[in-house]
Amino acid sequence: MDVYGHELKHGQWSSTTFWINHAGHGNKSSYNVIQVGWHINPDRYGDSHPHFYTCWTDKKSGDWWVYYGFNKIPTGVGYFPRSLFSYLAEKADGMQFGAFVKSKKALPTPPMGSGALPNGGKGRAASFTDIRFID
């Protein structure tokens, strides 16, 4: 997951995220999700720096480890204990990754990723590389 810094204003938000989830019984109350990523959110942090973040839903009992790595060497940075989840404690039934931007109506949409479009050539647009599920 490439991480870039941009000078955003209050009211703008840029994020890149990896989601692991289980739909449960199909109703909202049984849905489990883990989100891990980076975002720039001046309203939350008071600055325009990229911040690593995590969040999750539900609570019950598979620990889910978060790794990051440069040069293909994964390094554990923490985990979500299985005790936080119900269905996701046993397995995931979905994995997604992507990015989004938000802004107040009066402000321009902030850049996402590197800010370059994918047609700018290799190495210009943001990317996710070497994504692995480690069982």
Side-chain angles (χ1 to χ4, degrees), residues 52-101:
F52 180 75
Y53 81 96
T54 63
C55 65
W56 64 92
T57 60
D58 292 355
K59 56 184 186 325
K60 305 264 188 207
S61 212
D63 295 341
W64 288 89
W65 278 85
V66 177
Y67 291 88
Y68 79 94
F70 297 102
N71 301 321
K72 302 185 187 286
I73 301 170
T75 303
V77 295
Y79 70 96
F80 297 91
R82 71 180 286 141
S83 61
L84 293 173
F85 306 103
S86 50
Y87 297 95
L88 202 49
E90 300 303 320
K91 66 179 182 175
D93 66 3
M95 297 171 80
Q96 301 91 31
F97 55 92
F100 65 88
V101 295

Side-chain angles (χ1 to χ4, degrees), residues 9-12 102-110:
K9 299 176 176 148
H10 285 277
Q12 294 178 314
K102 290 173 97 173
S103 66
K104 292 183 177 175
K105 258 188 175 178
L107 296 171
T109 304

Side-chain angles (χ1 to χ4, degrees), residues 17-20 33-37 53-56 66 80 100:
T17 306
F18 186 75
W19 295 266
I20 298 172
V33 66
I34 295 171
Q35 293 182 23
V36 177
Y53 81 96
T54 63
C55 65
W56 64 92
V66 177
F80 297 91
F100 65 88

